[in-house]
């Protein structure tokens, strides 16, 4: 007997789209010739700003985690929690974009060191998982079962990995200010 | 137990108010107060099933989103340990099963229409959201206490389909109410709910869940018959049923004249004609089946407005002689919603498909029922009854009927849909209108031999086109994509594009400025050749394990600078000389520890490697560099600044008394020197280097070295 659900649209589209975005970003990062700079001082100031932006993204990521847990665990979470989750995610995305665009355009995908390799891969993973999560949220159908928490978990993992391999490294090796 | 048990963090459970096959219903309250609630706790064997829990969680949003005045609202879903509870609005009143029993087993046609119209409207709203009920039956319809006409709330939306999906089979439908295709493994479609609605119509009217739907009085016959079409594709959508029935609800465009006693058609001067449940009279001139009752459609050919109705026999009440064909293509229903009952959403507003009766024909007339009138409304007792297992076989009658009226079947006619496949069995007589005169209308609703359905009649309205059989039933209607996340994605793409544009623009300016290089110009110091060991042997030893530059090699950077300083943790002294993207570094502790590294310094990033996994990563600019140095398995932070000649980095390679010597020095701005000299691969503290002459004395011999000069390229 065919199984019956309220709605079960195809589930592969968000996943395929997310993988596609991640791969495209990675391929672009390899093919694109990184752009050098001679204004090294300005460049490093920019790097400093980027790590602070990344830190902001990580903080909003923590808000995302807490609010998501509240939504999933405590079914009676107040309504503003969902709004907090959405808007913290949007702000985090907004903060991350300048960092990501600059990294991709000026550095590309590199594997000089394990840290750089991990950072590059986490960057591709983040936006691929984000696209998957958004499509899971928006696809026809109510709820996404385990897929949505998994996508959110991957996004958060990528954010954490990105922060550890960039901002934390920067703060501990370079310093909080340049 | 009436004690207050907690449910989640927000709710308290109180006494049990219902119990069924799949759940126990308890009264509940919120800790924050508010309206009373009912909590439906799934039985442990279901609640503990991971698949069931996942399904409910997955579909929670859909169930919560079901907002309709006639749907019991799901307020919360609690998944806690082995508990799966649905917290929903509490409806003070009996379920329809009990309400029927209180009323002697059936309702007046007016009440039936009222209840059915609300039910259909609720189903339509749910179907619009892509949710099907799949277990619509009197037990799942609650009648609000004291409401006249009865106001209903449908509960358990989605529960059956979810449990069915989990292959539990616990509540996959109730024999007698669930559409036959469901039992035959068909997909749960909205049409299945429409079938159940047809059964409800039948039961509420006659007291039995089986019988000939065409024999129902007034407007109920055709709609029940359409709802109970064996082929789900032939059943009208719920919204059309709702729009159709709403006309006959109190306040609707057409009314029974109240819910107490059936109204007579206002234009009929003839006494109401009883419904004929026996064999109908002889067919009319159109060879159509006889008219079962006053609800029969106007038979007058539309092309002949003056032609009287061919049916003058007893079954035809007044309407047939009243302006039957006055409007060949009558006006569509009056614009604007027609609210048949409080809170009814104007579903018909968006329904381009007209219903059967607003065709300009006289309003139907309800005959007095042939069965005893139902008992007067009684104050119902509050109940929230869980649907229980039906003690029925799948194709048997509808179970314990509370009472059977004087309704007589025309014959052994099982519900057609129970036959599942095959053609629709013949139904009771029903007269369709006369042939349509318009061009291309050979197969209009009045075509002999064609069943009249709501859809058929709808097809005759101008501008609506013929009623088309809906496409093969699909499991569920896809709802639209939610826009919020897509808009977020689109905004992200736009923002990324803008940022990329900014970067490209800035880089274009950067490329133009690249001609202006930032160069440090250390004072030129000419090496002083001294000592016999100087000479060709003074060439630099190769630095092994040089890191290759990254594959993405950017344009060379015209930065030439030497930086030097102490490494933290007293790990030594470090000097890095950078020339056009290439970096050479030397680290030593002035005793035995030393390492040469080579790599890149590009885009502000340092990346150097040397022997024994010595590594430098960090950032640099024209003034300083910072990062971390990994040497002998330990990592140390460093931050060093620019030094100018004669400070900087020096190295020496030569032969002293037959032994190979390699030395390195870092000269800091304060004049201190740190160096290590290896003799025959044995490192040790280096003697002092005369930076002016770049010579040092080893075992009495003067040996000259070289500088690693970023400006001149010496040593690179």
């Amino acid at each position: 007997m065919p199984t019956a659900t309220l709605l079960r649209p195809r589930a592969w589209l968000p996943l395929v789209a997310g993988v596609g975005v991640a791969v495209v970003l990675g391929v672009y990062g390899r093919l694109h010739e990184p752009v050098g700079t001679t204004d090294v001082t300005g460049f490093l100031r920019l790097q400093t700003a980027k790590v602070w932006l990344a830190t902001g993204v990580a903080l909003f990521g923590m808000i995302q985690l807490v609010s998501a847990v509240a939504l999933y665990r405590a079914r009676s979470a107040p309504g503003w929690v969902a709004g907090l989750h959405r808007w913290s995610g949007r702000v985090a995305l907004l903060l991350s974009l300048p960092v990501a665009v600059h990294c991709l355009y000026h550095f590309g995908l590199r594997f000089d060191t394990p840290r750089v390799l991990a950072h590059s891969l986490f960057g591709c993973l983040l936006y691929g998982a984000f696209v998957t999560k958004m499509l899971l949220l928006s696809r026809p159908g109510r709820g996404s079962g385990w897929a949505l928490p998994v996508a959110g978990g991957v996004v958060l993992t990528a954010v954490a990995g990105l922060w550890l391999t960039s901002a934390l490294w920067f703060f501990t090796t370079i310093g909080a200010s340049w | 137990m009436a004690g207050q048990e907690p449910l989640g963090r927000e709710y308290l459970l109180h006494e049990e108010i219902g119990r069924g096959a799949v759940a126990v219903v308890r009264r509940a309250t919120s800790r924050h107060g508010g309206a009373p609630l009912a909590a439906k706790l799934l039985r442990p064997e279901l609640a503990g099933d991971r698949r069931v829990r996942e399904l409910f969680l997955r579909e929670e949003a859909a169930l919560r989103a079901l907002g309709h005045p006639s749907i019991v609202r799901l307020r919360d879903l609690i998944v806690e340990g082995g508990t799966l509870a649905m917290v929903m609005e509490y409806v003070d009143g009996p379920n329809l099963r009990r309400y029927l029993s209180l009323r002697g087993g059936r309702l007046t046609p007016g009440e039936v229409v009222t209840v059915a119209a609300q039910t259909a409207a609720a189903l339509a709203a749910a179907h619009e959201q892509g949710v099907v009920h799949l277990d619509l039956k009197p037990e799942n319809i609650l009648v609000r206490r004291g409401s006249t006409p009865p106001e209903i709330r449908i509960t358990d939306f989605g529960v059956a389909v979810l449990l069915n999906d989990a292959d539990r089979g616990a509540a996959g439908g109730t024999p007698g109410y669930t559409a036959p295709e469901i039992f035959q493994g068909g997909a749960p479609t909205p049409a299945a709910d429409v079938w159940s609605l047809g059964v409800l119509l039948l039961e509420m009217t006659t007291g039995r869940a089986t019988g000939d739907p065409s024999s129902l009085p007034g407007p109920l016959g055709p709609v029940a018959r359409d709802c109970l079409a064996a082929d789900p594709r032939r059943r009208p959508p719920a919204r059309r049923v709702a729009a159709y029935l709403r006309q006959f609800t109190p306040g609707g465009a057409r009314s029974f004249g109240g819910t107490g006693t059936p109204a007579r058609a206002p234009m009929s001067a003839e006494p109401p004609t009883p419904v004929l449940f026996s064999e109908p009279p002889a067919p009319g001139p159109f060879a159509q089946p006889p008219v079962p009752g006053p609800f029969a459609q106007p038979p007058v050919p539309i092309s002949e407005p003056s032609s009287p109705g061919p049916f003058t026999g007893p079954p035809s009440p007044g309407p047939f002689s009243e302006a039957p064909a006055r409007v060949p293509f009558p006006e569509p229903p009056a614009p604007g919603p027609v609210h048949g009952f409080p809170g009814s959403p104007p579903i018909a507003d968006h329904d381009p498909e007209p219903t059967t009766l607003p065709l300009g024909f006289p309003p139907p007339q309800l005959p007095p029922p042939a069965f005893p009138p139902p008992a007067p409304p009684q104050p119902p007792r509050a109940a929230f009854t869980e649907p229980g297992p039906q003690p029925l076989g799948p194709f048997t009658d509808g179970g314990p009927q509370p009472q059977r009226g004087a309704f007589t079947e025309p014959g052994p006619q099982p519900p057609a849909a129970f036959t599942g496949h095959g053609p629709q069995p013949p139904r009771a007589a029903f007269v369709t209108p006369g042939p349509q005169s318009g061009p291309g209308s050979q197969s209009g609703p009045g075509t002999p031999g064609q069943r009249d359905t709501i859809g058929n009649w709808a097809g005759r309205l101008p501008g609506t086109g013929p009623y088309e059989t809906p496409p093969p039933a699909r499991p569920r209607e896809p709802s639209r994509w939610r826009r919020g996340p897509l808009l977020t994605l689109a905004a992200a793409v736009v923002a990324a594009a803008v940022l990329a544009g900014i970067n490209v623009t800035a880089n274009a300016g950067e490329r133009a400025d690249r001609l202006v290089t930032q160069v440090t110009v250390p004072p030129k110091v000419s090496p002083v050749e001294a000592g016999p060991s100087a000479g060709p042997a003074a060439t630099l030893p190769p630095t092994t394990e040089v890191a290759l530059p990254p594959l993405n090699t950017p344009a060379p950077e015209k930065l030439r600078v030497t930086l030097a300083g102490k490494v933290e943790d007293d790990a030594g002294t470090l000097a890095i000389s950078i020339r056009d993207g290439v970096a050479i570094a030397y680290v030593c502790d002035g005793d035995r520890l030393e390492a040469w590294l080579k790599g890149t310094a590009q885009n502000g990033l340092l990346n150097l490697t040397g022997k024994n996994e010595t590594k430098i990563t960090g950032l640099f600019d024209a003034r300083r560099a910072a990062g971390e140095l990994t040497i002998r398995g330990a990592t140390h932070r460093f931050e060093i600044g620019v030094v100018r000649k004669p400070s900087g980095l020096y190295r020496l390679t030569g032969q002293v008394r037959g032994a190979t010597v390699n030395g390195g020095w870092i000269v800091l701005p304060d004049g201190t020197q740190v160096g290590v000299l290896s003799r025959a691969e044995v490192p040790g503290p280096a003697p002092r280097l005369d930076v002016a002459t770049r010579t040092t004395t080893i075992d009495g011999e003067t040996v000259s070295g070289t500088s690693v000069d970023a400006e001149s390229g010496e040593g690179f």
Side-chain angles (χ1 to χ4, degrees):
Chain A
M1 173 175 176
T3 58
T5 60
L6 302 180
L7 279 170
R8 184 180 285 168
R10 295 183 184 279
W12 51 264
L13 176 61
L15 181 64
V16 168
V19 171
V21 166
V23 169
V24 165
L25 289 177
V27 169
Y28 173 80
R30 290 299 297 167
L31 297 181
H32 167 67
E33 179 182 312
V35 178
T37 182
T38 54
D39 182 12
V40 177
T41 302
F43 181 84
L44 286 171
R45 288 205 183 98
L46 200 56
Q47 290 293 95
T48 306
K50 282 167 63 182
V51 297
W52 282 111
L53 284 175
T55 303
V57 173
L59 290 177
F60 279 103
M62 294 309 296
I63 295 175
Q64 288 267 286
L65 175 64
V66 171
S67 54
V69 168
L71 288 172
Y72 269 85
R73 290 281 179 191
R75 313 303 301 181
S76 56
W80 57 265
V81 175
L84 175 68
H85 186 80
R86 281 194 296 270
W87 279 104
S88 60
R90 287 168 184 162
V91 173
L93 174 71
L94 197 62
L95 293 182
S96 76
L97 284 176
V99 183
V101 170
H102 189 269
C103 281
L104 196 62
Y105 189 68
H106 285 265
F107 301 126
L109 188 146
R110 304 167 65 150
F111 39 80
D112 308 346
T113 65
R115 179 191 68 82
V116 173
L117 174 63
H119 189 76
S120 299
L121 296 182
F122 276 131
C124 298
L125 179 67
L126 170 62
Y127 291 98
F130 176 77
V131 167
T132 296
K133 183 167 185 267
M134 288 299 102
L135 292 180
L136 283 173
L137 281 170
S138 62
R139 69 173 177 168
R142 317 283 183 234
S144 303
W146 53 267
L148 192 58
V150 167
V154 173
V155 168
L156 190 67
T157 302
V159 167
L162 285 168
W163 186 82
L164 291 172
T165 54
S166 63
L168 181 65
W169 171 84
F170 192 92
F171 289 144
T172 54
T173 60
I174 310 299
S177 64
W178 181 266
Chain B
M1 190 179 75
Q4 294 190 350
E5 294 176 30
L7 176 64
R9 286 187 301 189
E10 186 175 345
Y11 303 102
L12 292 173
L13 287 173
H14 303 284
E15 74 276 7
E16 181 178 321
I17 54 178
R19 179 175 285 269
V22 299
V24 174
V25 183
R26 295 178 65 173
R27 194 170 65 81
T29 53
S30 169
R31 292 183 191 271
H32 308 300
L37 302 166
K40 171 170 285 197
L41 296 104
L42 252 63
R43 289 185 177 278
E45 64 271 22
L46 289 174
D49 188 312
R50 185 176 56 84
R51 293 190 59 200
V52 172
R53 295 155 68 96
E54 287 176 355
L55 281 169
F56 273 86
L57 285 173
R58 195 185 70 193
E59 307 294 355
E60 180 196 4
L63 300 179
R64 275 187 197 246
L66 283 182
H68 188 274
S70 296
I71 295 177
V72 175
R73 183 129 205 170
L74 176 68
R75 172 166 166 158
D76 220 336
L77 186 66
I78 308 288
V79 180
E80 192 179 54
T83 301
L84 176 58
M86 288 176 285
V87 180
M88 55 191 117
E89 168 193 1
Y90 176 78
V91 178
D92 182 14
N95 64 27
L96 185 60
R97 169 73 64 215
R98 175 156 181 78
Y99 188 78
L100 281 172
S101 70
L102 292 171
R103 301 292 310 280
R106 60 185 180 279
L107 307 177
T108 65
E111 289 173 317
V112 171
V113 167
T114 300
V115 170
Q118 295 175 71
T119 306
L123 289 177
H127 295 169
E128 189 79 13
Q129 301 256 348
V131 177
V132 293
H133 193 294
L134 208 61
D135 197 21
L136 186 67
K137 55 188 176 183
E139 287 83 353
N140 284 335
I141 297 177
L142 306 175
V143 183
R144 203 166 66 80
R145 182 197 300 274
S147 56
T148 304
E151 286 180 31
I152 61 107
R153 301 278 191 279
I154 304 179
T155 186
D156 277 2
F157 254 106
V159 173
V161 75
L162 288 177
L163 292 177
N164 198 28
D165 196 26
D167 290 334
R168 300 292 310 190
T174 302
Y177 294 93
T178 301
E181 69 267 16
I182 300 300
F183 288 109
Q184 292 163 3
T189 63
D193 286 345
V194 174
W195 168 279
S196 304
L197 177 60
V199 179
L200 279 176
L201 278 168
L202 203 57
E203 180 171 13
M204 287 191 293
T205 309
T206 68
R208 295 184 52 184
T210 57
D212 180 10
S214 299
S215 63
L216 298 188
L220 299 174
V223 69
R225 184 169 61 181
D226 283 355
C227 289
L228 291 171
D231 183 354
R233 294 171 298 182
R234 302 288 302 173
R235 296 173 204 150
R239 60 184 165 82
R240 195 178 300 160
V241 177
Y244 169 77
L245 288 172
R246 191 157 56 235
Q247 304 168 94
F248 308 101
T249 57
R254 302 167 191 272
S255 172
F256 284 112
T259 58
T261 56
R264 292 170 58 178
M267 302 181 73
S268 170
E270 299 180 16
T273 306
V275 177
L276 297 181
F277 293 109
S278 57
E279 196 60 31
F286 294 100
Q288 293 293 329
V291 181
F295 185 61
Q297 295 298 327
V300 178
I302 290 178
S303 59
E304 299 177 7
S306 59
S307 173
F311 294 99
T312 55
S316 299
F320 294 153
S321 59
E322 291 285 340
R326 191 174 53 226
V327 185
F329 287 95
E331 293 293 325
V338 181
H339 294 281
F341 44 87
S344 170
I347 289 177
D349 293 353
H350 312 292
D351 186 359
E353 296 273 8
T355 52
T356 303
L357 291 180
L359 297 173
F361 298 119
Q365 187 178 33
L366 274 185
F371 36 80
Q378 300 173 13
R381 188 168 60 86
F384 193 109
T385 306
E386 170 64 23
Q390 297 291 317
L392 309 172
F395 301 121
T396 59
D397 199 348
Q401 301 301 324
Q403 183 179 340
R404 181 168 179 167
F407 179 89
T408 52
E409 278 296 311
Q413 192 165 9
F418 285 172
T419 59
H421 305 297
Q424 178 93 356
R427 296 285 186 173
F430 191 80
V431 172
T432 58
Q436 194 169 354
S437 63
S441 59
Q442 295 91 341
S443 60
T447 303
Q450 180 173 359
R451 285 197 316 122
D452 70 320
T453 64
I454 291 175
N456 283 343
W457 281 104
R460 303 195 62 171
L461 280 186
T464 61
Y467 173 70
E468 295 177 359
T469 302
R474 302 178 63 178
R476 44 195 62 87
E477 309 272 346
S479 62
R480 283 176 296 200
W481 288 69
R482 292 187 193 84
R483 287 190 300 175
L486 294 179
L487 287 176
T488 302
L489 268 183
V493 170
V494 170
V498 170
L499 289 165
I502 292 173
N503 275 272
V504 170
T505 306
N507 184 62
E510 180 74 20
R511 288 183 194 278
D513 294 342
R514 193 164 285 176
L515 294 175
V516 181
T517 57
Q518 191 170 1
V519 180
T520 61
V521 185
K524 183 69 176 175
V525 178
S526 298
V528 177
E529 299 292 337
S533 63
T539 55
L540 289 176
T543 301
T544 56
E545 299 186 21
V546 173
L548 293 173
L551 291 179
N552 301 333
T553 306
E557 299 177 43
K558 301 291 185 183
L559 178 65
R560 298 171 181 179
V561 66
T562 298
L563 311 104
K566 296 284 187 184
V567 180
E568 290 187 353
D569 311 323
D570 289 329
T573 303
L574 172 68
I576 305 174
S577 198
I578 299 171
R579 176 184 168 86
D580 300 346
V582 178
I584 292 175
Y586 178 66
V587 59
C588 68
D589 64 352
D591 185 15
R592 302 176 61 83
L593 176 69
E594 68 165 351
W596 287 93
L597 303 95
K598 192 168 184 180
T600 59
Q602 293 170 344
N603 294 324
L605 293 178
L606 287 172
N607 185 24
L608 298 93
T609 56
K611 284 183 178 177
N612 301 323
E613 297 186 352
T614 307
K615 190 189 318 176
I616 288 176
T617 53
L619 301 174
F620 72 97
D621 66 1
R623 295 180 294 111
R624 59 177 176 157
E628 56 189 11
L629 162 72
T630 303
I631 186 167
R632 289 187 175 177
T635 299
H636 311 280
R637 187 180 182 277
F638 69 85
E639 182 170 350
I640 56 180
V642 169
V643 296
R644 300 182 185 280
K645 292 292 184 181
S647 301
L649 183 54
Y650 297 83
R651 72 191 309 175
L652 175 148
T653 298
Q655 295 281 331
V656 177
R657 297 180 182 177
T660 299
V661 294
N662 290 301
W665 287 265
I666 296 170
V667 179
L668 297 175
D670 60 2
T672 56
Q673 294 184 6
V674 185
V676 171
L677 184 73
S678 297
R679 302 184 195 189
E681 305 295 328
V682 178
R688 183 166 184 81
L689 177 75
D690 181 348
V691 294
T693 62
R694 300 183 185 181
T695 58
T696 187
T697 302
I698 303 171
D699 294 341
E701 285 191 19
T702 300
V703 183
S704 74
T706 63
S707 70
V708 178
D709 189 347
E711 174 56 28
S712 65
E714 182 186 14
F716 276 85

